[in-house]
Structures are given as C-alpha cells and as structure tokens.
Amino acid sequence: MDKKVLEIIAKIDVFYKELYEKTNDSIQVSLKDNGTSVSQFDLDATAFCIEVINETFPNANIWIEEDQAILKEDNNEYTFVIDPLDGTASFLRGYPIWGIGIGVLKGDTPLLSYFYGPACNQKYLAYDEKIFINDKELQAQTNVVNQDTKTIFISSRLHKKIDFKEFEDLKLRNFGSTLYHVVMVALGKAESVLIGSCYIWDVAAAFYLGEKHGYAFYDFKMQKQLSLKELMAYKANKIDIILEFKKL
C-alpha cells in the first residue's frame, strides 16, 4: 500500500473526529434536488476530502456523493470512492451509527476499505491483507454464531419490496447506515445485508474488505453475482435493484 494513501486516510480520520467534536444541536440542513437532506457537516467533509486527496494525488479519480460529477477517470490512477456521511438521517436525529466510508482502487483492483463512525467510536481499515479495528490489527475472526442470533441487516423501506416471512428464522436489523451494515457482514458479524437501492459510494468502502474474506454482491431477486466491474459501471447512477452482500 502506498504510504501516501494511508496518510490521506489518517488526515481524514483526524478531521472527522475534530468536526464531530465541534458538532452541536444547531446543525445546518438543506434539501438536495432529489428531496433528501444534506447537512453542513456533509459539505465540510466533502470539501476536505477533495482537498486532501488532490494535494497528494492531483490526477486521482474522486467519486463522492455530494459532488456527483466524476472529477477524473483514469485507470492508471487511484480512485477514491467516498460517502462523506453515510446515515444522514441517523446523524440528524442524533443516533450514533453513521460515518464516512472510503473505498480505494487502482485500476480495477480494490486496495483499501475504510469506515469510521466518530459517534460510535468505531473504525475499520483493511489493506495489504490486514484488518484493523480501532487501530488494532484483527488477528483472527471469531465468528461462531448461535443459531438463535443469526442476523440479516436490511435497508429502510425494504419491506415494501420483499416479503420477510422467508427470513422468519433470522433476526432482522437496521442500524441506519448501509456501510456499517456491509462492514459488519464482511467481518462475519451477520449473515448478509439486503440493500433496497443505493449508489456506488454506499458500498465501495466494502470492496476490499469483502474480497479479502470471500464475500460478494448479488442481484437478490436474480441470485446473480455482480462483478466489481458491473458495480463500478453505475458510477453516479442509482443501483436500483435489491443488492445482497454475503459469502460466496
């Protein structure tokens, strides 16, 4: 892993922690063209991420939710796919599970997965076949799960598209952050996650982490595995199918 990429992640880490510590109840919120909320936290984080990446890699590709234009597109350069605040509704309501997710690729190869939730004080970083949880390397996964605790994460409003009776032997959970759900599955903390619709930045932070442990994304209704190339082709377009992230 290029040391400079890790330095960027470290700077973003510090920035998010400090920005969160300054946050109070008077959060500035506006509506985007699609009717969803965006906070000043999102906008400040977006500006910082773009700035700190461009300082080191001026030719990097940056795909980021709050600036949906692809700034550059070059397979010879690093690609940073960023959700600056996954779980905006939770953030605005004062719930603790929300955060930033970043997936870094070089060409078509995932190099790094990163998710940091400052309110819940949880950070996941994976690269070079290593996983770090709150800066401590995970030595081994201990994923022995009792039958009565098997869990599937689901996205909001998915009940409108799926009859959940077929999952009656599983516990269904929604913590309000798609990336948090996906990371938990990639770490073996749940059996799968079902995502009603999303964008590439909603899931890119799990590309390397999932690949490391033999997980993949599927078209849930077709039960067809989706390649990284197929997912990346969506770019700024909504992935308007039910995605499932689970073991191969």
Side-chain angles (χ1 to χ4, degrees), residues 1-239:
M1 172 59 63
D2 189 327
K3 183 180 178 181
K4 293 179 180 178
V5 173
L6 296 178
E7 289 173 352
I8 288 171
I9 297 298
K11 288 178 182 178
I12 291 173
D13 209 61
V14 171
F15 176 84
Y16 263 75
K17 187 175 186 297
E18 293 179 348
L19 187 60
Y20 169 64
E21 289 173 349
K22 295 176 185 175
T23 302
N24 54 40
D25 292 335
S26 58
I27 300 169
Q28 297 179 44
V29 183
S30 57
L31 290 179
K32 296 189 282 190
D33 292 340
N34 62 7
T36 60
S37 300
V38 61
S39 71
Q40 190 59 46
F41 191 108
D42 289 88
L43 301 178
D44 291 345
T46 295
F48 181 82
C49 288
I50 292 173
E51 178 184 1
V52 74
I53 292 169
N54 279 333
E55 282 177 355
T56 304
F57 300 111
N59 295 317
N61 310 308
I62 306 174
W63 301 3
I64 193 164
E65 180 178 12
E66 303 309 339
D67 189 343
Q68 295 183 13
I70 297 174
L71 303 185
K72 299 179 180 69
E73 190 170 9
D74 183 347
N75 276 345
N76 293 318
E77 295 292 338
Y78 288 111
T79 296
F80 292 79
V81 188
I82 306 170
D83 189 338
L85 204 169
D86 182 67
T88 298
S90 293
F91 170 72
L92 295 177
R93 294 280 183 173
Y95 306 153
I97 299 181
W98 52 269
I100 180 174
I102 300 177
V104 181
L105 303 90
K106 186 68 177 289
D108 296 326
T109 303
L111 298 180
L112 178 146
S113 285
Y114 170 74
F115 175 84
Y116 175 45
C120 62
N121 193 32
Q122 293 190 6
K123 178 170 62 177
Y124 303 92
L125 181 63
Y127 65 92
D128 290 349
E129 300 187 358
K130 297 178 182 179
I131 296 175
F132 297 88
I133 298 179
N134 288 345
D135 297 320
K136 183 178 180 180
E137 185 177 353
L138 180 66
Q139 298 298 327
Q141 288 183 290
T142 55
N143 300 328
V144 178
V145 180
N146 294 331
Q147 185 65 34
D148 66 342
T149 65
K150 289 192 173 180
T151 298
I152 287 182
F153 286 111
I154 59 173
S155 61
S156 304
R157 297 183 291 277
L158 196 58
H159 59 280
K160 296 179 180 180
K161 298 182 179 182
I162 294 178
D163 182 355
F164 284 113
K165 290 180 181 177
E166 62 182 284
F167 303 115
E168 61 183 11
D169 294 329
L170 298 164
K171 295 183 182 296
L172 305 180
R173 296 283 186 263
N174 183 324
F175 290 151
S177 165
T178 296
L179 280 176
Y180 186 84
H181 294 165
V182 174
V183 168
M184 288 297 98
V185 174
L187 290 174
K189 306 302 183 183
E191 279 51 59
S192 73
V193 57
L194 299 177
I195 307 164
S197 63
C198 64
Y199 290 92
I200 194 66
W201 44 77
D202 291 316
V203 292
F207 286 164
Y208 178 83
L209 189 54
E211 185 177 83
K212 164 71 178 173
H213 291 287
Y215 287 78
F217 287 92
Y218 291 79
D219 179 327
F220 174 72
K221 289 192 172 179
M222 301 295 293
Q223 280 302 295
K224 173 183 177 292
Q225 184 180 340
L226 298 172
S227 68
L228 178 61
K229 184 176 181 180
E230 287 175 301
L231 287 170
M232 293 294 282
Y234 281 94
K235 298 177 182 174
N237 298 316
K238 181 176 280 189
I239 306 173

